[in-house]
Amino acid sequence: MSDTVCPLCFPVDESLLWSDTFCRVIWVDDANYPGFCRVVLNAHIKEITDLPPAERQRLMNVVFAVEMAVREAVKPDKINLASLGNVVPHLHWHVIPRWEDDVNFPDAIWAAPRRAAMQRPLLADIKPLLQARIQALLPIQE
Amino acid sequence: MSDTVCPLCFPVDESLLWSDTFCRVIWVDDANYPGFCRVVLNAHIKEITDLPPAERQRLMNVVFAVEMAVREAVKPDKINLASLGNVVPHLHWHVIPRWEDDVNFPDAIWAAPRRAAMQRPLLADIKPLLQARIQALLPIQE
């Protein structure tokens, strides 16, 4: 869990969907999970309970807005939310759309695949739709 | 994702650490992850964004109290939070203490094991400590 060069503090190739001074929403380019997003705190904090309660709530409000946007944009069978950070101990949330025929279902996406990849909607079509929904749900007020 | 007989609506063998009218905290008896808890909404709801915002916040406040209690009780290297619900589509949160030498680290606990189980603190010693911390952090106000 070395954090000498944290890839979330110094991102190289992020595709940003939304951001404010507190956190950002990035696009995860995964053809098996079109609509997969991550919500990343800007500060290098390890656990959500290291934040004061109002900031925990602020971060979760962004996670929930992204969940709503993903549900609207790709209509998954299920949403998975997870904050792990074992590899990169910088607070971030995975917002993952799941389908009953996806490669891992009903297992977590970190489990061994159960089946071959299914045809999914094109990522290029989803990204602008998702970004528009997130921006509508999270107007910048700063 | 059949929910005809939901095991979280009709639990058979739950070990309860805390509960109120809205949700409950249950002990997960896993020798690899001593301190592992689940926070279970009492109502049969699938996604957290199916709840109104005040109830999302109420549930997360319980999750965060449990995270703090687990951190205090077992002093893990990391906390993992996850709400998946692919097998049981009834809203619940996993609060999982992780150690750098645990069977899956740094992978998610749902991945294939990387190493043999390490000696961990005895579950019997941790449970009353954890329960006392959760009860202190979450006084029942109803």
Side-chain angles (χ1 to χ4, degrees):
Chain A
M1 286 206 301
S2 167
D3 47 14
T4 45
V5 182
C6 172
L8 294 179
C9 287
F10 300 98
V12 173
D13 189 22
E14 270 186 6
S15 180
L16 207 61
L17 296 175
W18 180 93
S19 66
D20 68 3
T21 58
F22 179 68
C23 69
R24 60 195 191 270
V25 181
I26 61 178
W27 167 257
V28 179
D29 194 13
D30 185 332
N32 285 326
Y33 296 106
F36 189 164
C37 294
R38 286 193 193 103
V39 178
V40 181
L41 187 74
N42 289 334
H44 188 82
I45 299 285
K46 187 165 155 183
E47 307 287 5
I48 196 163
T49 54
D50 292 333
L51 294 175
E55 293 189 7
R56 298 174 201 166
Q57 187 182 337
R58 180 172 177 178
L59 188 65
M60 295 315 297
N61 284 347
V62 175
V63 172
F64 298 147
V66 172
E67 172 175 314
M68 287 189 288
V70 172
R71 292 179 72 181
E72 291 169 15
V74 299
K75 303 194 182 349
D77 296 322
K78 189 70 192 69
I79 288 285
N80 288 178
L81 299 179
S83 180
L84 308 181
N86 306 321
V87 178
V88 180
H90 175 134
L91 183 53
H92 61 282
W93 281 89
H94 303 275
V95 181
I96 312 160
R98 302 299 307 272
W99 288 269
E100 293 186 17
D101 62 357
D102 73 38
V103 290
N104 299 101
F105 202 90
D107 300 325
I109 67 161
W110 301 281
R114 280 182 180 251
R115 61 186 69 83
M118 299 289 155
Q119 190 73 37
R120 293 273 162 232
L122 287 176
L123 294 170
D125 294 339
I126 290 171
K127 191 174 172 184
L129 180 64
L130 186 57
Q131 184 164 34
R133 289 304 305 145
I134 293 170
Q135 289 176 349
L137 289 165
L138 292 171
I140 303 278
Q141 291 171 324
E142 296 173 311
Chain B
M1 287 207 298
S2 168
D3 47 14
T4 45
V5 182
C6 173
L8 293 180
C9 288
F10 301 99
V12 173
D13 189 22
E14 270 186 5
S15 179
L16 207 62
L17 297 175
W18 180 94
S19 66
D20 69 3
T21 58
F22 178 68
C23 69
R24 61 195 191 269
V25 181
I26 61 178
W27 167 258
V28 179
D29 194 13
D30 185 333
N32 286 326
Y33 296 106
F36 189 163
C37 295
R38 285 192 192 102
V39 178
V40 181
L41 187 75
N42 289 334
H44 188 81
I45 298 286
K46 187 166 155 183
E47 307 286 5
I48 196 162
T49 54
D50 291 333
L51 294 176
E55 294 190 6
R56 297 174 202 166
Q57 187 182 337
R58 180 173 177 177
L59 188 65
M60 295 315 297
N61 285 346
V62 175
V63 172
F64 298 147
V66 172
E67 172 175 314
M68 287 189 288
V70 172
R71 292 179 71 180
E72 291 169 15
V74 299
K75 303 197 179 353
D77 296 321
K78 190 69 193 69
I79 289 285
N80 288 178
L81 298 178
S83 181
L84 308 180
N86 305 322
V87 177
V88 180
H90 175 133
L91 183 54
H92 61 283
W93 281 90
H94 303 275
V95 181
I96 311 159
R98 303 298 309 272
W99 288 270
E100 292 185 16
D101 62 358
D102 74 35
V103 292
N104 300 101
F105 202 89
D107 299 325
I109 67 162
W110 301 280
R114 280 181 179 251
R115 62 186 70 82
M118 299 290 155
Q119 190 72 35
R120 293 275 162 231
L122 287 177
L123 294 171
D125 294 339
I126 290 171
K127 191 174 171 183
L129 180 65
L130 187 57
Q131 184 165 34
R133 288 304 305 144
I134 292 171
Q135 289 175 349
L137 289 164
L138 292 171
I140 302 278
Q141 293 172 322
E142 296 175 310

